[in-house]
Amino acid sequence: MLLKSVLIMVAAVVAGCANTPTVPPPATIFQDALFKPVAQPIRAADVFAFTPAMEEYLRSQVMPQLRVRGQRQGLVDALYTRGQLKLDYDTGSTRNAAQAFEARSGNCLSLVIMTGAFAKQLGLTVRFQSVFVEEAWSRSAGIAFLSGHVNLTLGTAPRDLPGIALSSDLLTVDFV
């Protein structure tokens, strides 16, 4: 009798869980018409696009550094040494590679994108990473934002084993 009571109680609990109603999101949340169209459309192809000005900088400023410092360190030195490109950290907006290069500034994502674009031009392997940091919340115009942090790791140009790099062949670049 006790076993039968326990089985009935377990069945009732399981059935109760199975019938838990889900609450649909408010109807107003997913209405695209409530948002203004963007002033300039964002295309995925533009994120890492390499401009003629970037190509010229690569040829005239980065390439000489590569001969002395090696590909990865030469690239980082040419982009982030104060006397070179003179980039500033700016949290105002996220830019694509060309915009960050032109403005000479960007947030961590913008600078990671720009560095990745240069590294890809050099044939280096690039790994983009989300960094675990303490959550940073902000509010603007009634919208709550959670800010994260990203960085990238540069490997050597792939040789015999594409996509595989030894840990000693990696250089992590982080913009704080």
Side-chain angles (χ1 to χ4, degrees):
M1 186 66 172
L2 179 62
L3 180 62
K4 186 176 182 181
S5 298
V6 170
L7 288 175
I8 290 172
M9 196 179 318
V10 169
V13 169
V14 171
C17 291
N19 293 328
T20 303
T22 58
V23 179
T28 59
I29 230 174
F30 296 111
Q31 293 184 17
D32 289 342
L34 295 176
F35 299 92
K36 290 187 257 181
V38 294
Q40 184 177 356
I42 300 169
R43 297 177 332 127
D46 292 340
V47 174
F48 293 98
F50 217 70
T51 65
M54 293 168 78
E55 184 65 45
E56 171 59 24
Y57 187 81
L58 180 68
R59 187 189 59 70
S60 66
Q61 301 298 315
V62 176
M63 296 305 269
Q65 297 265 357
L66 302 183
R67 291 183 198 96
V68 177
R69 307 279 292 155
Q71 280 192 307
R72 290 167 305 172
Q73 194 61 53
L75 172 62
V76 171
D77 288 351
L79 294 177
Y80 300 106
T81 300
R82 278 280 180 210
Q84 295 284 327
L85 195 55
K86 298 181 183 173
L87 292 170
D88 288 319
Y89 191 85
D90 173 23
T91 60
S93 65
T94 300
R95 298 176 168 104
N96 64 32
Q99 292 165 335
F101 181 80
E102 182 67 30
R104 302 295 198 260
S105 68
N107 59 17
C108 63
L109 181 56
S110 303
L111 298 176
V112 160
I113 289 170
M114 187 188 76
T115 304
F118 273 97
K120 287 180 179 187
Q121 283 295 115
L122 293 171
L124 295 172
T125 59
V126 180
R127 183 174 64 209
F128 301 97
Q129 303 165 139
S130 177
V131 178
F132 295 107
V133 294
E134 188 173 327
E135 291 183 349
W137 286 92
S138 61
R139 182 176 287 279
S140 177
I143 299 173
F145 295 93
L146 172 62
S147 297
H149 184 63
V150 294
N151 65 21
L152 77 160
T153 296
L154 303 175
T156 56
R159 290 184 203 97
D160 297 331
L161 303 171
I164 298 175
L166 302 174
S167 60
S168 62
D169 288 341
L170 302 176
L171 174 66
T172 298
V173 182
D174 199 311
F175 309 97
V176 184

